[in-house]
């Protein structure tokens, strides 16, 4: 079997290496249009989890790569003249050029034919498989764009990729504002003397600074002046550095196996991209290579059987594509954060750091506490102090138990309970299990208890078992419960002209059929005119003189009124006019 890999980046080289190593009888050739050692970018970052897969895939290249690693376990955030360090963040960096050199040598060692300065088109090759690893601008993919259906979304921010002679000891985020706007830096070491230094800003800031018209040298000069205090005399270095927007690429399929044409498998940036703020495209490409090689081995596709090849490619896509798509979702969250960091400039440093570290959803409060308990202790303590707590307390309370001001109401904590009613109220008076559930919630020390939906009129009930607040008996039923203490809010509801016979939780089964049918009929009068929201809300207006919410508001413990989405359209006019309590 003969395999051609188009693109001599880390992904293409690693796939060729693993396939040849697993099946020496394969004839594998790599075509790279650039000279050996030519590359864009500076360093590459890997997590410890990725390194485990490298070790299992090819131990020799794993040893060569890790021997040249720079390893750190902290993230530094420089923001508002403060420096916050978050520990427990283990990453490794290596020069991209060194990584390519290691993989090229290893490919040659196992018998892969690596040809530099050779540009080919897949349609002109007579191989049994073409691996397209020729990057985001893949000519191989575009030649069959009607099959792969690539979609590219340009980011809203601008960034430029520099190197620097500043030897960092951690992954470093820098946020610095001037008269032009806010700039941010993503920087990390990749050898003992050099670091990657990515500068990012909004489109507006980029234009305000005149960088849309600046040359490469002028961009370097501007950034060196802006970050002079952070660079500490070190220089920025360019490698064909240009201001660009990050393109997120997704493809409908990664494989194409048409009869009569050479099969193609996309790999790495030719199939997908993910924003640099959450990971490395090199990491994803090399993980793609591992998955493809494993699929070949499991399906014994190296023997040349076309059916085995198609099955192996399908396995590769089925395993890898969903994993990359989940990664892209997290990367999109991270990218959106960095495209709107100006929104968070008013946050205190420790709160800003917490938002930054949890931006993608892959790391949460509990995970951060495991990684760096001292950081989270400081975040909790200062968060509690800003809410009126004691910043000298021996143990800081978790954020959920910190007081919260909701309008003019002080809640003891941020826990909200909302018991689900079972429909046991009688004539709108809360009773039975509904009463017991609400009483239990009020006694649970939650900061706020929200009732289930409460009808504002008799015909506004979904079913006869719904609680209401439209006569004195119903008001008194709630008042007795609220007098026991606790903060509570009432969720007002009106079933509306299209309301069902029974609660949604009971599905399509109608309860108390006779009474429910009467409610249904009241809500569905025979009409010859078109529905009019203002005119049809008269039922809600008619209940206003006796409506309980206005009167319960002055009772103890009753702190808020809410309208669920279903009642908003019916009551919209009343809310606008301020006529509903």
């Amino acid at each position: 079997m003969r395999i051609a890999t188009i693109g001599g980046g880390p992904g293409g080289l690693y796939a060729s290496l693993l396939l040849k190593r697993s099946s020496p009888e394969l004839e594998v050739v790599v075509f790279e249009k650039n000279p050996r050692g030519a590359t864009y970018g500076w360093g590459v970052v890997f997590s410890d989890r990725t390194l485990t897969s490298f070790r299992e895939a090819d131990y020799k290249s794993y040893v060569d790569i890790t021997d040249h690693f720079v390893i750190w376990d902290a993230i530094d955030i420089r923001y508002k003249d403060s420096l916050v360090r978050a520990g427990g963040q283990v990453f490794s960096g290596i020069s991209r050029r060194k990584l390519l050199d290691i993989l090229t040598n290893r490919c040659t060692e196992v018998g892969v034919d690596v040809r530099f300065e050779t540009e080919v088109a897949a349609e002109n090759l007579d191989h049994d498989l073409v691996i397209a690893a020729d990057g985001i601008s893949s000519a191989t993919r575009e030649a069959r764009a009607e099959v792969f259906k690539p979609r590219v979304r340009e980011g809203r921010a601008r960034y430029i990729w520099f190197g620097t002679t500043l030897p960092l000891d951690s992954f470093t985020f820098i946020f610095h504002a001037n008269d032009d706007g806010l700039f941010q830096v993503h920087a990390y070491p990749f050898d003992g003397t050099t670091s990657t230094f990515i500068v990012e800003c909004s489109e507006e800031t980029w234009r305000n600074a005149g960088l849309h018209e600046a040359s490469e040298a002028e961009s370097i000069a501007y950034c060196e002046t802006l970050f002079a205090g952070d660079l500490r005399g070190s220089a920025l270095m360019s490698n064909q550095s240009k201001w660009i927007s990050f393109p997120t690429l997704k493809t409908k399929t990664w494989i194409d196996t048409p009869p009569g044409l050479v099969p193609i498998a996309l790999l790495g940036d030719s199939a997908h991209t993910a924003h640099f703020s959450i990971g490395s495209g090199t990491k994803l490409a090399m993980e793609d290579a591992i998955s493809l090689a494993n699929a070949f081995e499991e399906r014994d596709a190296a023997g040349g059987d076309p059916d085995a090849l198609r099955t192996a490619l399908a396995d590769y896509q089925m395993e890898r594509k969903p994993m990359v798509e989940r990664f892209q979702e997290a990367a999109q969250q991270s990218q959106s954060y960095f495209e709107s960091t100006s929104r968070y400039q008013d946050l205190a440093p420790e709160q800003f750091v917490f938002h930054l570290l949890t931006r993608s959803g892959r790391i949460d409060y509990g995970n951060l506490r495991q990684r760096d308990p001292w950081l989270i202790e400081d975040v909790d303590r200062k968060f509690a102090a800003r809410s009126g707590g004691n910043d000298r307390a021996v143990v800081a309370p978790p954020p959920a138990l910190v007081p919260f001001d909701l309008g003019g109401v002080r809640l003891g904590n941020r826990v909200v309970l909302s018991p689900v009613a079972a429909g046991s109220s009688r004539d709108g008076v809360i009773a039975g299990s509904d009463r017991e559930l609400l009483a239990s919630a009020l006694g649970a020390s939650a900061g706020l208890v929200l009732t289930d939906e409460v009808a504002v009129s008799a015909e506004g009930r979904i079913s006869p078992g719904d609680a209401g607040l439209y006569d004195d008996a119903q008001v008194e039923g709630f008042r007795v419960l609220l007098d026991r203490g606790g903060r509570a809010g009432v969720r007002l509801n009106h079933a509306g002209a299209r309301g069902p016979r029974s609660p949604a939780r009971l599905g399509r089964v109608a309860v108390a059929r006779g009474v429910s049918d009467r409610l249904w009929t009241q809500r569905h009068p025979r009409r010859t005119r078109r529905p009019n929201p203002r005119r049809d809300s008269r039922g809600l207006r008619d209940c206003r003189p006796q409506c309980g919410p206005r009167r319960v508001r002055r009772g103890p413990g009753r702190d808020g009124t809410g309208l669920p989405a279903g009642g908003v359209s019916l009551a919209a006019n009343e809310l606008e006019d301020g006529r509903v309590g």
Side-chain angles (χ1 to χ4, degrees), residues 212-497:
H212 62 297
E213 300 173 331
S215 66
E216 188 176 50
E218 289 169 336
S219 293
I220 289 178
Y222 183 94
C223 292
E224 283 183 336
T225 301
L226 179 63
F227 296 104
D230 302 292
L231 290 169
R232 302 192 292 274
S234 298
L236 291 179
M237 301 181 296
S238 176
N239 180 8
Q240 301 179 14
S241 302
K242 299 177 182 179
W243 290 97
I244 59 175
S245 298
F246 188 87
T248 299
L249 167 70
K250 297 182 179 181
T251 49
K252 183 175 182 180
T253 182
W254 293 9
I255 59 174
D256 183 29
T257 56
L261 294 176
V262 58
I264 295 177
L266 303 182
L267 185 144
D269 283 355
S270 67
H272 52 76
T273 60
H275 194 252
F276 56 83
S277 64
I278 195 175
S280 162
T282 300
K283 161 196 172 319
L284 292 177
M286 293 178 71
E287 289 175 341
D288 288 350
I290 294 172
S291 177
L292 179 60
N294 288 343
F296 255 71
E297 187 171 359
E298 290 172 3
R299 296 296 182 176
D300 196 21
D305 180 3
D307 290 336
L309 173 61
R310 284 192 291 270
T311 303
L313 295 179
D315 287 352
Y316 158 64
Q317 176 170 265
M318 289 178 63
E319 176 192 17
R320 196 65 194 138
K321 193 168 186 286
M323 296 175 66
V324 170
E325 288 173 347
R326 288 195 297 271
F327 193 91
Q328 286 182 308
E329 289 175 4
Q332 177 59 44
Q333 293 293 325
S334 180
Q335 180 177 354
S336 296
Y337 173 89
F338 282 107
E339 290 175 344
S340 56
T341 46
S342 57
R343 296 175 52 193
Y344 308 108
Q345 288 188 85
D346 294 332
L347 295 179
E350 69 284 347
Q351 193 172 14
F352 181 88
V353 167
F354 183 85
H355 273 259
L356 171 66
L357 296 177
T358 59
R359 66 191 180 276
S360 70
R362 301 174 75 210
I363 296 178
D364 57 17
Y365 177 89
N367 187 271
L368 268 183
R369 178 172 284 281
Q370 286 183 325
R371 292 170 181 252
D372 191 342
W374 295 276
L375 171 66
I376 293 302
E377 180 72 16
D378 184 56
V379 170
D380 287 352
R381 190 179 305 281
K382 291 178 179 176
F383 185 74
R386 286 198 305 274
S387 300
N390 181 6
D391 62 353
R392 303 178 66 86
V394 176
V395 178
L401 300 182
V402 171
F404 180 70
D405 290 319
L406 180 62
V409 179
R410 179 77 164 178
L411 303 181
N413 57 61
R414 296 159 190 255
V415 178
V416 178
L417 295 180
S418 184
V420 179
S424 63
S425 298
R426 301 187 185 93
D427 296 324
V429 179
I430 189 167
S433 61
D434 290 357
R435 177 187 175 90
E436 294 173 3
L437 286 171
L438 183 57
S440 176
L442 288 167
S445 301
L448 179 66
V449 175
L450 288 177
T451 69
D452 204 341
E453 295 173 358
V454 175
V456 297
S457 65
E459 65 273 18
R461 292 175 292 165
I462 295 175
S463 73
D466 285 2
L469 274 177
Y470 48 85
D471 66 30
D472 290 338
Q474 296 158 1
V475 171
E476 186 61 24
F478 277 104
R479 190 188 302 279
V480 170
L481 289 174
L482 299 178
D483 283 346
R484 300 180 182 181
R487 297 293 191 183
V490 175
R491 297 170 59 199
L492 296 181
N493 181 53
H494 190 292

